């Protein structure tokens, strides 16, 4: 058994609008995210099942031809290999759970996240 103290974990700046603290266990990854309004996570997919739990703010997920808004107290389950992107509608605090753990995050092969900047302008 291991205790993880979120207060002692360093806050990683992924982009100026996207910050995270991460715990990797043998079988899962847990990420506490701070996302700023107008951030955009580019279209991507991964072999991990994902559950996004919104604590504050609102996110708009684009996946499988659907647009799903998720707010405080709500969770969204995303199956493995489903391409998805996210627009941050309000400053957000989110916990993401992934299983199996995010090997791409452990090895630093998550460059797609670093491309996630401000949401594209609406015309």
């Amino acid at each position: 058994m291991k205790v993880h103290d979120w207060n002692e974990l360093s806050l990683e700046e992924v982009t100026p609008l996207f910050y995270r603290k991460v715990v990797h266990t043998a079988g899962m990854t847990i990420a506490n995210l701070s996302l700023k309004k107008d951030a955009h996570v580019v279209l991507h997919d991964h072999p991990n099942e994902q559950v996004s739990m919104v604590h504050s703010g609102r996110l708009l997920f684009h996946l499988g031809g659907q647009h799903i808004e998720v707010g405080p107290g709500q969770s969204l389950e995303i199956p493995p290999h489903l391409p998805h992107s996210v627009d941050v509608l309000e400053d957000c605090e989110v916990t993401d759970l992934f299983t199996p753990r995010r090997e791409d995050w452990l090895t630093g092969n998550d460059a797609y996240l670093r491309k996630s900047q401000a949401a594209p302008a609406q015309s």
Side-chain angles (χ1 to χ4, degrees):
M1 284 189 257
K2 183 174 182 179
V3 173
H4 299 278
D5 187 340
W6 290 96
N7 297 311
E8 293 183 5
L9 295 177
S10 60
L11 186 64
E12 175 191 3
E13 180 180 323
V14 178
T15 75
L17 300 176
F18 183 155
Y19 297 83
R20 70 182 175 191
K21 290 183 178 186
V22 180
V23 168
H24 300 282
T25 71
M28 68 186 310
T29 294
I30 306 161
N32 281 342
L33 309 177
S34 293
L35 304 166
K36 301 298 180 192
K37 183 180 189 284
D38 295 329
H40 174 73
V41 179
V42 297
L43 186 67
H44 66 285
D45 71 286
H46 40 72
N48 319 80
E49 180 179 18
Q50 175 179 346
V51 175
S52 291
M53 302 180 297
V54 177
H55 305 293
S56 65
R58 301 194 79 68
L59 297 174
L60 181 60
F61 287 83
H62 309 280
L63 60 171
Q66 296 182 44
H67 307 286
I68 301 172
E69 190 171 318
V70 183
Q74 295 181 315
S75 297
L76 178 65
E77 180 182 333
I78 303 172
H81 303 291
L82 180 64
H84 56 283
S85 64
V86 183
D87 292 319
V88 181
L89 304 177
E90 301 171 0
D91 288 356
C92 287
E93 296 296 324
V94 178
T95 299
D96 278 352
L97 307 171
F98 300 93
T99 186
R101 71 183 184 174
R102 293 296 302 259
E103 295 296 333
D104 59 333
W105 289 16
L106 282 165
T107 60
N109 290 328
D110 57 354
Y112 73 91
L113 281 177
R114 297 174 201 295
K115 296 177 191 171
S116 301
Q117 295 291 331
Q122 301 294 320
S123 48

